[in-house]
């Protein structure tokens, strides 16, 4: 276990919309945990997905976080020893990890379309999961079956070991266990549009930025299990994990960037103060 002195936590928002109260609460927990352990908090701009992120949200994100009372000692706005802190500037690191996975035989090229996968999916995927369980159509393809430059675009997928249980201790929720092939399948690490997938970029960065504890929403529990497989395959030490309950609106629906009324921006415009918002936390 890392000593209290070198605790390193991170806030890793994606600039795809205005931050809302749910983000603020998860981040506040991250901040408190870093503070109580005398640690360092870093801000990372998870802007890898150029199709979804908008530049205007990067500035807004930093402004809203400052307004709410967050401070960080390393980040895209202030630099630091383990930068760059914007994912769009880190592609070379993701590419190196992809090469390592390919050389190690952990990944394979997959030419299936989203439609093929949806049609062939073995089991209905859980509503909270972002990626349907891959039916395994391209599993036996080896990297050498793809000619360079590729004539067709493809995803690189990580091959899981069916029935392997991935267990970990969550600092908030206690023991967790997920079964590969059942809770999630072979997952994409590099997308057909030449963008590293979330699972890969986040592992590469959390390791490179020496994060000792990842604080995130509990909707990402299964992603954490997938990421543990990547840490292992890449020979990297995994951080600890603390998954927070998700914030819901009055009707029990999970807050999302479309809940405009609960965006930090709107709340601030309406004269709400951060102190008031944090009263019950
Ligand atoms: N940028 C990711 C998000 O906003 C980070 C999630 C995480 O890995 O904690 O969903």
């Amino acid at each position: 276990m890392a000593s209290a002195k070198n605790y390193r936590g991170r806030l890793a928002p994606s600039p795809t919309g205005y931050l809302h109260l749910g983000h603020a609460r998860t981040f506040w927990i991250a901040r408190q945990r870093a503070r109580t352990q005398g640690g360092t908090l870093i801000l990372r701009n998870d802007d890898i997905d150029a199709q979804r992120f908008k530049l205007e949200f990067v500035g807004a994100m930093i402004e809203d976080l400052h307004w709410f009372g967050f401070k960080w000692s390393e980040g895209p706005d202030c630099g630091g020893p383990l930068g760059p802190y914007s994912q769009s500037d880190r592609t070379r690191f993701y590419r190196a990890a992809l090469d390592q996975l390919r050389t190690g035989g952990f990944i394979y090229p997959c030419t299936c379309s989203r439609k093929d996968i949806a049609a062939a999916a073995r089991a209905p995927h859980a509503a909270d999961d972002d990626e349907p369980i891959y039916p395994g159509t391209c599993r036996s393809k080896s990297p050498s079956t793809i000619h360079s430059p590729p004539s067709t675009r493809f995803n690189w997928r990580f091959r899981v070991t069916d029935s392997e249980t991935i267990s970990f201790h969550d600092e908030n929720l206690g023991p967790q266990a997920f079964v590969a092939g059942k809770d999630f399948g072979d997952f994409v690490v590099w997308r057909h549009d030449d963008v590293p997938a979330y699972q890969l970029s986040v592992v590469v960065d959390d390791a490179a930025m020496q994060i000792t504890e990842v604080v995130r929403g509990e909707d990402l529990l299964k992603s954490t299990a997938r990421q543990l497989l990547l840490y292992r395959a890449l020979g990297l030490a995994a951080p600890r994990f603390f998954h927070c309950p998700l914030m819901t609106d009055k009707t029990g629906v999970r807050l999302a960037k479309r809940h405009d009324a609960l965006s930090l921006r709107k709340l601030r415009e309406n004269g709400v103060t951060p102190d008031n918002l944090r009263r019950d936390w």
Side-chain angles (χ1 to χ4, degrees):
M1 224 192 195
S3 76
K5 224 170 90 211
N6 51 30
Y7 180 102
R8 286 176 61 86
R10 44 73 152 183
L11 313 177
S14 301
T16 53
Y18 292 122
L19 295 178
H20 59 65
L21 207 49
H23 296 111
R25 195 175 63 167
T26 301
F27 292 166
W28 200 252
I29 295 171
R31 170 201 185 261
Q32 298 298 72
R33 291 187 64 78
R35 265 174 96 99
T36 53
Q37 312 215 32
T40 301
L41 193 62
I42 73 164
L43 176 69
R44 189 174 69 226
N45 171 20
D46 279 3
D47 63 351
I48 194 66
D49 192 348
Q51 273 173 13
R52 289 179 58 229
F53 100 84
K54 295 207 179 70
L55 204 56
E56 64 179 282
F57 292 129
V58 179
M61 184 169 96
I62 291 181
E63 192 182 301
D64 292 348
L65 290 171
H66 278 313
W67 169 74
F68 200 84
F70 289 103
K71 290 193 177 69
W72 47 90
S73 31
E74 297 170 32
D77 54 336
C78 55
L82 300 175
Y85 294 91
S86 286
Q87 289 196 323
S88 55
D89 295 329
R90 302 182 56 82
T91 309
R92 63 188 182 280
F93 300 112
Y94 311 137
R95 220 169 263 289
L98 182 75
D99 285 346
Q100 196 184 332
L101 292 173
R102 190 169 39 200
T103 311
F106 292 103
I107 55 175
Y108 60 88
C110 169
T111 49
C112 294
S113 68
R114 242 173 221 269
K115 227 165 107 203
D116 297 337
I117 297 166
R122 258 182 282 179
H125 60 93
D128 65 341
D129 210 353
D130 51 347
E131 201 174 325
I133 293 193
Y134 181 63
T137 323
C138 297
R139 242 188 172 185
S140 55
K141 282 191 184 150
S142 79
S144 57
T145 57
I146 296 292
H147 304 291
S148 186
S151 50
T152 36
R153 299 196 143 197
F154 53 88
N155 291 307
W156 283 104
R157 272 184 198 279
F158 186 91
R159 191 183 287 107
V160 303
T161 305
D162 282 336
S163 307
E164 180 186 355
T165 301
I166 292 97
S167 349
F168 62 97
H169 176 83
D170 186 82
E171 303 294 321
N172 186 34
L173 304 171
Q176 301 295 310
F178 296 96
V179 179
K182 181 169 154 276
D183 291 318
F184 60 86
D186 293 354
F187 54 94
V188 176
V189 293
W190 202 279
R191 291 181 353 198
H192 60 88
D193 54 355
D194 204 26
V195 174
Y198 157 72
Q199 310 293 0
L200 182 67
S201 58
V202 85
V203 164
V204 168
D205 288 349
D206 286 336
M209 295 174 186
Q210 297 172 14
I211 300 303
T212 58
E213 184 178 79
V214 167
V215 176
R216 54 165 59 134
E218 63 185 15
D219 55 326
L220 291 173
L221 275 164
K222 281 189 207 170
S223 282
T224 296
R226 293 177 177 109
Q227 289 167 26
L228 285 168
L229 294 177
L230 288 179
Y231 280 104
R232 188 175 72 191
L234 292 166
L236 298 168
R240 296 185 298 272
F241 294 94
F242 184 106
H243 288 83
C244 313
L246 297 178
M247 200 175 232
T248 54
D249 68 10
K250 284 195 195 96
T251 62
V253 174
R254 183 183 142 193
L255 289 198
K257 283 176 180 150
R258 63 184 175 275
H259 279 81
D260 189 43
L262 292 174
S263 73
L264 298 185
R265 228 126 251 244
K266 260 282 160 1
L267 292 164
R268 175 168 141 200
E269 266 167 40
N270 292 338
V272 184
T273 67
D275 276 346
N276 266 333
L277 293 169
R278 290 197 293 264
R279 187 150 295 159
D280 303 325
W281 295 357

